[in-house]
Amino acid sequence: PGVSVWRAQTTASGSFQVSRSDGTSYATALVAGTAALWRNKYPKLKKNEAMVSTFRNLLRSTARRPSGWNTSKHGAGILDAQSAVRAALEQKLITPT
């Protein structure tokens, strides 16, 4: 889940303030954004199960895990969008069609 994520929030008066918040909704947005960046690098890829599996494995393999990270309790790790996009290019995990 997203922890201590900076966000913009509207106030009752209609102005904006920046504050921190937590929740799985933030994690969902970060994964979706990373997927968009990754798809931008490979626009000709067919959307199929192999592509989804490759992306899932890519996120898991590039996730950061601080010392003592418990994957069974906290998941695969902390998403690292930059590493995920770079790894796909450097390791040539997929071949564009």
Side-chain angles (χ1 to χ4, degrees), residues 25-93:
S25 296
Y26 296 108
T28 302
L30 293 173
V31 171
T34 303
L37 291 170
W38 189 72
R39 286 287 293 154
N40 186 57
K41 293 291 182 184
Y42 299 98
K44 295 181 182 180
L45 283 178
K46 290 183 180 178
K47 295 178 186 176
N48 59 31
E49 194 171 318
M51 182 193 75
V52 172
S53 177
T54 297
F55 182 70
R56 182 183 304 118
N57 291 335
L58 177 70
L59 291 183
R60 288 179 178 148
S61 69
T62 59
R64 291 183 287 121
R65 294 172 195 88
S67 179
W69 185 268
N70 182 338
T71 55
S72 63
K73 184 176 179 183
H74 302 297
I78 299 169
L79 183 136
D80 185 337
Q82 186 175 31
S83 292
V85 173
R86 283 185 176 167
L89 298 173
E90 294 169 3
Q91 297 175 17
K92 296 181 176 35
L93 294 173

